[in-house]
Amino acid sequence: MAGQLGVLNALDAAKTQWYHFTAIVIAGMGFFTDAYDLFCISLVTKLLGRIYYTEENAPKPGILPPAVQSAVTGVALVGTLAGQLFFGWLGDKLGRKKVYGLTLMLMVISSVASGLSFGRSPDGVMATLCFFRFWLGFGIGGDYPLSATIMSEYANKRTRGAFIAAVFAMQGFGILTGGVVALIVASVFDHKYNAPTYAQNKSASLVLPAFDYVWRIILMFGAIPAALTYYWRMKMPETARYTALVAKNAKQAAKDMAKVLQVEIDAEEEKLNEMNQRNKYGLFSKEFAKRHGLHLVGTTTTWFLLDIAFYSQNLFQKDIFSAIGWIPGAKDMSAIDEVFRIAKAQTLIALCSTVPGYWFTVALIDHIGRFAIQLIGFFFMTVFMFALAIPYDHWKKSGNKIGFVIMYSLTFFFANFGPNATTFVVPAEIFPARLRSTCHGISAAAGKAGAIVGAFGFLYASQSTDPSQVEHGYHTGIGVKNSLVVLGVVNLLGLVFTFLVPESKGKSLEELSGENEEEEEGGDQGNEEKVSRVAVPI
């Protein structure tokens, strides 16, 4: 029986080379843009409310009505879910590279268009903003399965987890950059206009049309990093695993990877034919259900549960900081000062916990494994969420607010040194090549379904139980304290479902997916001897 193809062995055993870092940067810049575009909206929703919904002589500045807030916050997530399913499927049908450029261009165009948001009336601006953010999300959705699959299929098996996690870790820099850009833009406008607080002078606290440019600049900035990487994304060759195992062109796969690895590699067409004969089952077959059904349940449920908590925390951290008094009441700030303070809070959280959490995962994932990191992450997210929720009244006292922020930051740290990274990595490793992008897209879409639940659910649930404290247009909810308890339970469930996900550390993709399971005994030894002849270190 034939063993592993030489070209795939060469990739699995290759020493870390320049093309690995090139692939990380090219794919990672997509994720940098993804995170920037998805989370920068939380920086400007308060400003949008002031600009378009402030009533003359009202005691408080305007806020987005509940339906508009839900749409503006959640429509990109809906688009992302649709894009993950569609482009995940398309990536397995047409190839990773062919679809990769399309998603990036869609992100660039939609990012610019969402900042333009044609119209002058509140309804017109919000409708066009939502329309373009849906298509922005659609492009972002395609980046998830394609970037993960491309990186997993390029990487060697020894450091594959770190490479995929490094691509995903660019999310942290995207979130951080969103805060920094908002700080810079807000500072420039604040310095120029020096607007008073709403309580001091209602009309002067909002300078129009100048402040209307602030949110547009912040949203459109996301197009720049994506546009800069388009050329290099188009120069990447198709992955050898897709070319050989899906397109069934062993000669082209060997030719492409020979250029990348700078070695001679045999095409081995007969061996490829034998592998393809053994692996024909589809996504909805009994064979897939038997081999990978529980794995898919595990990757979808854990990502779904993780994103309920993660997106609730990210998109509504401004509301939580306001609830504990870390950010003053809206009437005690000017419109631009509110943007600055919200951006400052998000930047501090990203700098102190979000970014370090991602890179702890990169450093340790190939040493302690995906399973252990995911368990650790869910466990400590549960612990810290309950530690925030149960004594919530204690944290609201003025002397304890810094402690609350530290505890809240730790939940972000363990989300990223935990399931937020591993739920992205594992689906790109454990499924067959011909279904890898599709299954990753399904898993990611389940995550975005959780994000939608978190975004919409937390918005309403976190409203106060006291009718006098509820924001205009909302009904009473269960309050921030009980909402945090719910998120703690969600994290605990994520820990339980982690036991359905296999450990993939140190194994080849074909070994994990079962595409090589009928190898002859001793085949690995022969393969290792062959690899030693073709893998060339830098």
Side-chain angles (χ1 to χ4, degrees), residues 296-328:
L296 189 58
V297 171
T299 58
T300 53
T301 52
T302 52
W303 207 336
F304 173 79
L305 293 165
L306 175 275
D307 272 8
I308 291 176
F310 185 72
Y311 278 82
S312 296
Q313 289 172 252
N314 265 294
L315 292 173
F316 298 104
Q317 57 183 283
K318 62 184 184 302
D319 301 303
I320 290 174
F321 291 142
S322 296
I324 65 164
W326 204 45
I327 295 176

Side-chain angles (χ1 to χ4, degrees), residues 47 118 128 207:
L47 180 60
F118 316 106
T128 53
V207 182

